[in-house]
Amino acid sequence: MASAAEQLARNLSFSTFSKAKALQQRIWFTLGALLVYRLGTFIPVPGIDPDAFRATFEQSQQGIIGMFNMFSGGAVERMAIFALNLIPYITASIVVQVISTASPRLEALKKEGEAGRRKMNQYTRYLAVLFCAVQAYGIAVGLEGSQGVVLNPGWFFRISTVITLVGGTMFLMWLGEQITARGVGNGISLIIFAGIVANLPSTVAQTLELSRTGAIPGFAALGMIVLALVVIAIIVFFERAQRRLLIQYPKRQVGNKMFQGDTSHLPLKLNTAGVIPVIFGSSLLLLPATIASFAAQGNAPGWLTTVTALLGRGQPLYLALFAFLIIFFAFFYTAIVFNPTETADNLKRSGGFIPGIRPGERTAQHIDYVLTRITVVGAIYLTVVALIPEVMFSQLAVSQFIGGTSLLIMVTVTLDTVSQIQSHLVAQQYEGLLKKSRLGGGKRR
């Protein structure tokens, strides 16, 4: 039998949405914030020649720089103030979360509630500024090494570039937090999502032009479209897949009446970590690769050029590292967001139990066993979706947008945002029902 929340979700209509004024304000705020982000991707860093940089970018856009440009919404190809996007912040978040698992002090902060969370966020911001400054300085040096790109090379250009790019990333961090708090959806994910979607028209036009000129065969273009649709369908299926553990509650007696025990389910998502492993994996690969790619355009040592080549799109080392990072973060992030011991304790306190499993520690072990098995499937699914299209499309020199990483981020963020909108509408329905019940009770009196 469907729960009350599921029944309300099915009965949602446009009239319900039109009455949800608070939700409409959140949506408008989100759209306005994303518009501000898009405008910032067209403001160039001072001191460079746009035409010369565009020519330099076109020579390396099929490599790791093309992927970085995808995440930044085209800001890299224009060398805009948001060129670094949120990659340094995401990388800092990864480092802080990994360190917190080994540091008792940070682990204690995580358990202090809101105050501890604010302190952890502060450490993450400090580390993000450091990563961003290092990455921005590497880009500034790389731009100076490119012929004719920088108008007046020197320390003034380097310092101004570092300040501009660091300021752009810090603003995006603040903007993402505002979207999460006052808008709809996760702000960080939505900013990355907006950057990917913004490249859709140019990507479609590029693919059609390559097909028209014969650069790629017509059947290959059709095959890419079919593959993209298949990948989207697979993503939707796996993101909605769940393993439901039966939870049973014992019979209870109230006065002289005996009430039958209830049953419910504990839903365990097949992919508990969501799109986070792919974003984290991409971010860690982009941090060193971006510096290497820009610096390699100048008078760089031979080893740096080798690193750039090995970390190129579709290269074996890049694919192997990407797969390893996706699998690692799938398990790591799942362990962070879901605690089997805490879930087992909550079930024990509420009187619930899994049939055939003793409450307490045995229940926690059973939940952890099931969660580990389904996480293996989820990690394999993420790896296949992220890597297989990358290998095929890199061989055809097609834009990074239609790769598995971009499709996974787009579909996952869309599903998550729609789910949050439905949650707001369900809450609106509940409030309406509560008001009606109160009014009905008052009239009966």
Side-chain angles (χ1 to χ4, degrees):
M1 181 179 294
S3 65
E6 290 174 339
Q7 292 177 354
L8 279 174
R10 293 194 189 103
N11 294 330
L12 296 178
S13 61
F14 180 77
S15 61
T16 306
F17 176 79
S18 63
K19 296 175 183 177
K21 300 300 181 183
L23 176 60
Q24 294 177 24
Q25 292 176 359
R26 284 179 170 270
I27 293 176
W28 281 115
F29 179 85
T30 302
L31 294 176
L34 294 179
L35 178 60
V36 171
Y37 158 66
R38 286 302 301 158
L39 291 175
T41 61
F42 289 90
I43 303 176
V45 171
I48 65 171
D49 184 347
D51 295 331
F53 177 77
R54 189 177 299 109
T56 302
F57 174 81
E58 290 176 354
Q59 297 175 1
S60 58
Q61 63 176 329
Q62 294 300 335
I64 200 73
I65 298 299
M67 185 175 181
F68 196 85
N69 186 57
M70 174 197 73
F71 280 111
S72 66
V76 172
E77 62 180 310
R78 293 182 286 270
M79 191 42 61
I81 59 176
F82 292 159
L84 288 180
N85 203 265
L86 289 163
I87 302 302
Y89 175 71
I90 296 173
T91 306
S93 300
I94 300 169
V95 174
V96 170
Q97 289 184 7
V98 171
I99 294 177
S100 65
T101 60
S103 171
R105 183 167 178 267
L106 292 180
E107 186 67 25
L109 274 178
K110 291 170 63 176
K111 298 178 180 179
E112 290 182 4
E114 184 63 23
R117 188 183 66 84
R118 285 199 299 266
K119 198 70 175 178
M120 292 282 289
N121 288 340
Q122 189 176 2
Y123 291 153
T124 304
R125 293 189 188 99
Y126 290 154
L127 191 58
V129 171
L130 176 62
F131 284 159
C132 194
V134 172
Q135 203 166 356
Y137 181 78
I139 290 175
V141 174
L143 290 174
E144 286 185 340
S146 300
Q147 186 67 29
V149 172
V150 180
L151 300 178
N152 295 300
W155 278 105
F156 180 79
F157 170 76
R158 296 180 187 180
I159 294 174
S160 65
T161 300
V162 170
I163 293 175
T164 302
L165 293 179
V166 170
T169 298
M170 295 303 103
F171 176 79
L172 287 183
M173 287 166 49
W174 174 83
L175 191 64
E177 292 175 354
Q178 295 302 308
I179 293 175
T180 303
R182 303 170 58 185
V184 177
N186 182 282
I188 304 299
S189 299
L190 280 173
I191 288 176
I192 297 176
F193 169 85
I196 296 173
V197 172
N199 286 335
L200 176 59
S202 60
T203 301
V204 173
Q206 175 191 358
T207 304
L208 293 177
E209 180 65 19
L210 290 174
S211 178
R212 186 187 66 83
T213 57
I216 58 175
F219 70 89
L222 180 60
M224 287 187 295
I225 296 174
V226 173
L227 180 60
L229 294 176
V230 171
V231 170
I232 291 174
I234 292 174
I235 294 172
V236 172
F237 173 79
F238 276 92
E239 290 301 322
R240 291 183 176 274
Q242 294 180 346
R243 169 71 186 276
R244 293 190 173 188
L245 297 180
L246 179 65
I247 305 297
Q248 199 164 6
Y249 294 90
K251 297 179 180 180
R252 52 195 175 92
Q253 184 174 359
V254 180
N256 295 326
K257 293 185 178 181
M258 179 66 72
F259 291 88
Q260 184 68 28
D262 295 329
T263 60
S264 64
H265 292 89
L266 175 65
L268 300 178
K269 288 190 63 177
L270 188 66
N271 180 28
T272 306
V275 74
I276 296 299
V278 177
I279 295 180
F280 278 12
S282 302
S283 302
L284 284 183
L285 283 177
L286 287 173
L287 180 62
T290 305
I291 301 174
S293 296
F294 274 107
Q297 297 170 8
N299 298 322
W303 66 267
L304 192 57
T305 305
T306 304
V307 169
T308 305
L310 292 176
L311 291 178
R313 180 185 177 193
Q315 296 300 316
L317 179 60
Y318 168 78
L319 296 175
L321 287 177
F322 197 16
F324 170 77
L325 290 173
I326 289 174
I327 295 173
F328 170 77
F329 283 115
F331 283 92
F332 177 76
Y333 199 74
T334 298
I336 290 178
V337 300
F338 192 94
N339 190 332
T341 303
E342 183 179 343
T343 303
D345 291 340
N346 292 335
L347 286 175
K348 187 176 181 180
R349 282 194 294 267
S350 62
F353 63 93
I354 300 176
I357 306 296
R358 183 177 301 173
E361 184 179 352
R362 293 295 298 273
T363 298
Q365 293 175 354
H366 179 72
I367 294 175
D368 183 66
Y369 172 73
V370 174
L371 187 64
T372 301
R373 293 180 66 186
I374 63 176
T375 302
V376 170
V377 180
I380 294 174
Y381 139 72
L382 288 176
T383 304
V384 171
V385 168
L387 294 188
I388 297 300
E390 299 296 327
V391 175
M392 297 182 63
F393 295 145
S394 62
Q395 300 301 318
L396 296 172
V398 180
S399 175
Q400 184 74 25
F401 169 80
I402 52 178
T405 302
S406 52
L407 289 176
L408 183 63
I409 293 174
M410 286 175 54
V411 176
T412 306
V413 173
T414 300
L415 291 175
D416 178 64
T417 304
V418 170
S419 176
Q420 291 200 26
I421 291 176
Q422 289 180 342
S423 298
H424 282 288
L425 291 176
V426 168
Q428 178 81 10
Q429 287 281 67
Y430 269 124
E431 291 178 4
L433 291 175
L434 287 174
K435 289 180 180 179
K436 288 181 181 179
S437 64
R438 289 170 186 163
L439 291 175
K443 289 179 180 178
R444 285 192 296 270
R445 293 191 191 94

